[in-house]
Each structure stands twice: as C-alpha cells, then as structure tokens.
Amino acid sequence: MTSRFADGLAVGSDLVEAAENAVGQALSRLSGQADLVCFFICGDDPEDVARAGQAAMKLAPEAHVIGCSATGVIGDGQGVELTPAVSAWAAKLDGARLTTFALETLAAEDRFVVVGLPERGGDDHVAILLADPYTFPTDAFVERSVDVLGDLPLIGGLANGLQGKGSVRLFADGEIYSEGAIGVLISGPVKISTVVSQGCRPIGPSMVVTASEENLLLELAGQPALARLEDIVSELDEDDRELVASGLQIGLAMDEYAERHERGDFLIRGVIGIDPEREAVAIGDIVEIGRTVRFQVRDAATADEDLYDVLDAHREELGKVDGALLFSCNGRGSAMFGTADHDPIALRDTLGPIGVAGFFAAGEVGPVAGHNHVHGFTASVLVFSSTFSSTAGGP
C-alpha cells in the first residue's frame, strides 16, 4: 500500500547499506515521487555517518533532502537508541514550496550574527530546524526568532553523535556540514500543525514573582522563594517528594490573563539550584517580576498521559492525519518509559497508521502558545493533515 507519507528503518553496522535500505523503504512506499525526504543516522564513526548521509541524499535526486546524526532514531513504529541505525521519511507534498537552508554564525563586533536564513513569503507555514548544539547558538536563535522570522513556527531538534562534540553531521540537498544548523522552510497549499508535549504536572499553587534577579527567583507572592518551595514540598506525598528530588521543574505561565493555570498552560524550565543565603531558587531561564509561575514534576505516567492528551486533542481538531515527524528527547525513550518505542507508539495509537520518523534529540524545538522555544524532555511533533488549504497554517 502506498501513501503520500512513508517511513523506513534499517539497523546494522554498515551504515551506507542501512541508509540505502531505510530511504529505499520510504521511497518505495510513497505514492509517486518524493518532494521532501528526511533521514536520521546513529553511528559510531562520524565519517561513516557522513558516507551514509551522502548515500541517502543520492537516492532522491529530485527531492529536497535534509538529515542529521543522532544518538537514536525513530521509524517503522519504533525507536532505536545507541545502536547503529538509520530512519527515513518521505513526503509527497503536491503544490508545496520547499526551501532548504544552512545557517552559520559570524562574529560581528561584540555579537554574533546568524546568516543563511531563507527569505520569508506570505504563505510560509513552518521551518524544520536541525542544529549542532556545540557550534550553533540554538537557544538564543530560537528565542529571538520572532525578530527575524516573525510568527513562523520552528520545529525540530538538536542533533548529536555517539562521540559527542565534533561528531555531529548535518545534511541538506547534497551538502554535508559539521557545524551550524540546517533545515527546510515549507510554504504553499499544505496543511501543517505542530504539537509539543512537555509532560509535566503542576504541584502547589500558581504564584506571582515579586522579586527576581537574572535567573534567580528571590520572592514568590511576597515571600522568600525558597521558603515557598519548602512549604510546597512539605505538603507532598512521598512519591512526589521523590520526583522533586530527582528533578524539579518550574512552569512559566504563557497567558498571564487566564483565570487558572493548569497543566499545559506553562513553558517548562528546570530548577537548577538554590541559594540558601539569599533564600533564592535558580531556574533555567530569566523571569521578570510580575510573571506567574508554578512548580512542576515529571514522571513516566505524567509524560505518557500528557502526550496522549495533546495528540488526542489534535486529532479531534484536524481529523485525518497522514504523516508526522517526531523529535523526542533523548531523556525520554527507555530512560523514562523503559522502552524506546513509547513515543512512536503513542503517535500510532492516536493518529493512526501513518508515516512517522524522527530522532532522539539533545533538545527539542517547538512553539508553545505561539512562541518558539528550545525544550528538554519533550516530544515535538510536526503533523501533516490530508486537508489541503492555501490558508492552512501552523499551531
């Protein structure tokens, strides 16, 4: 059976053979010639990864092709972690306009400038972004993307390699990059949307930041932040206290005017330490006075429930879904759920037997409440629906 979206997966130490196999699977299952091909490679040797990527790009000379190295890949309804493997995804996007790009940073006086951005059009929907976390300032670029890209949603992830720094490889339309970022801008009559599951559960009440300094929360609701946190933790049961000890999170409310702030209403950031002398709590972001925050915990059950909930809601809103790209945190998979297959299975359970591929990322890119962010422990999904419209947009 063929369709407009298809995926493939091949596991094996011969990465060139695996790449040809995975891409071949995806192309053979497609109803017609591919317009866009994405592939993801997990391999021990960066040069083997590069050769495999080159082979993959040659298999679809008429298509736009992007890909990257990773520590795990997703395809054929399953995940493969820390094992040589290649996953691939092919799409037939009738009428869509695709623009691949490669980004690099240049030093300009006292700042860095990102060059290589594609020109915007009035019918742009989304840009897929794959970045090397060691050489590209992804956090700063994504957080300030509105300055240069307007309201364009970004979706994707931070690539990696099994050897860490220096082993990342990025691929775009025949070219191989060992630094920077690459991607593709999707425009025209295609219906696309984004789904981001942060997988956290609130604990304690929502509180307004009444004193802060950089990333230090000094006061919450008029009291020392650390005292507030200790009060909240003291009222938790033993299981939730263990979750706090293993990795406390904090949510930054995305809509200050909402009457209530519940799960899904926050941008999640990590709590990275405390300052007992100042009774302060340090978090992984800068928070201004007046912002509403709420502490959060994350576990497998919460992450599972959240992903299924957001996907179910998405399915009800858009109807039939034909394909998706999945960027799942490398801290999810077997580390969180005991299996690398959890997230792709969740997509199949909720969205149906569609073409899905992706990789386990070192950080995930996706919009929350209309603003692009880099996340952790998140599943970011780019969803393609069967209904075409010249005005269909992103999230």
Side-chain angles (χ1 to χ4, degrees):
M1 186 171 113
T2 59
S3 64
R4 295 190 302 109
F5 300 87
D7 60 284
L9 174 70
V11 180
S13 57
D14 187 335
L15 287 181
V16 170
E17 180 181 339
E20 292 174 342
N21 191 352
V23 174
Q25 290 174 38
L27 294 176
S28 67
R29 297 167 181 168
L30 207 63
S31 58
Q33 183 174 288
D35 297 305
L36 176 63
V37 174
C38 302
F39 64 88
F40 312 100
I41 305 173
C42 178
D44 297 311
D45 185 343
E47 296 313 308
D48 285 346
V49 171
R51 283 188 286 271
Q54 189 69 63
M57 290 187 285
K58 289 180 178 178
L59 292 177
E62 304 301 321
H64 289 279
V65 186
I66 64 170
C68 69
S69 59
T71 57
V73 302
I74 295 168
D76 196 28
Q78 60 187 299
V80 179
E81 300 170 313
L82 305 176
T83 301
V86 180
S87 66
W89 181 87
K92 182 175 172 56
L93 302 171
D94 298 311
R97 187 173 71 258
L98 304 172
T99 307
T100 54
F101 57 85
L103 307 180
E104 61 177 319
T105 54
L106 300 177
E109 297 179 354
D110 60 343
R111 60 194 176 95
F112 287 95
V113 177
V114 174
V115 297
L117 287 168
E119 292 188 10
R120 287 293 313 274
D123 60 350
D124 298 338
H125 297 303
V126 69
I128 301 171
L129 181 71
L130 308 177
D132 175 8
Y134 303 103
T135 64
F136 188 75
T138 314
D139 287 87
F141 173 76
V142 170
E143 293 295 335
R144 299 189 61 184
S145 61
V146 67
D147 297 339
V148 290
L149 297 175
D151 60 355
L152 181 72
L154 298 177
I155 193 88
L158 304 187
N160 210 338
L162 291 180
Q163 295 185 24
K165 185 177 182 180
S167 67
V168 173
R169 296 294 181 268
L170 306 169
F171 308 92
D173 283 356
E175 299 294 329
I176 302 174
Y177 303 88
S178 58
E179 58 184 25
I182 59 95
V184 60
L185 175 65
I186 303 177
S187 314
V190 57
K191 191 170 185 180
I192 308 175
S193 58
T194 59
V195 177
V196 176
S197 171
Q198 300 181 89
C200 277
R201 169 168 53 87
I203 57 171
S206 294
M207 297 168 287
V208 174
V209 177
T210 49
S212 65
E213 181 181 301
E214 297 292 332
N215 69 324
L216 281 180
L217 300 178
L218 301 175
E219 286 186 4
L220 295 174
Q223 295 185 15
L226 183 55
R228 276 287 190 178
L229 174 58
E230 290 172 342
D231 288 344
I232 292 170
V233 172
S234 69
E235 296 178 0
L236 299 177
D237 60 30
E238 185 176 347
D239 289 340
D240 278 352
R241 287 185 187 180
E242 290 183 2
L243 293 178
V244 168
S246 63
L248 180 64
Q249 313 292 316
I250 192 166
L252 316 180
M254 300 307 295
D255 181 3
E256 291 292 344
Y257 300 101
E259 291 185 7
R260 298 181 63 187
H261 295 100
E262 301 298 337
R263 193 179 74 187
D265 296 331
F266 299 92
L267 172 66
I268 303 300
R269 290 294 184 249
V271 173
I272 59 178
I274 60 173
D275 184 340
E277 291 186 4
R278 304 183 69 183
E279 295 188 85
V281 177
I283 69 171
D285 209 335
I286 296 175
V287 183
E288 298 177 350
I289 294 174
R291 191 77 178 266
T292 300
V293 300
R294 192 173 182 184
F295 289 107
Q296 314 266 329
V297 292
R298 179 190 280 121
D299 61 2
T302 298
D304 173 83
E305 181 181 353
D306 187 68
L307 181 57
Y308 274 88
D309 283 350
V310 296
L311 289 172
D312 281 334
H314 191 87
R315 177 63 183 270
E316 292 176 4
E317 178 183 347
L318 290 181
K320 189 175 184 300
V321 173
D322 291 338
L325 283 167
L326 170 60
F327 308 98
S328 182
C329 180
N330 54 22
R332 292 170 69 96
S334 58
M336 177 175 287
F337 301 109
T339 172
D341 304 338
H342 177 273
D343 288 355
I345 287 175
L347 263 67
R348 182 162 292 182
D349 287 347
T350 53
L351 304 182
I354 61 175
V356 176
F359 71 99
F360 290 98
E364 306 73 59
V365 177
V368 172
H371 297 278
N372 295 316
H373 300 282
V374 178
H375 308 276
F377 293 94
T378 291
S380 292
V381 190
L382 181 61
V383 180
F384 294 78
S385 298
S386 57
T387 303
F388 286 80
S389 168
S390 60
T391 58

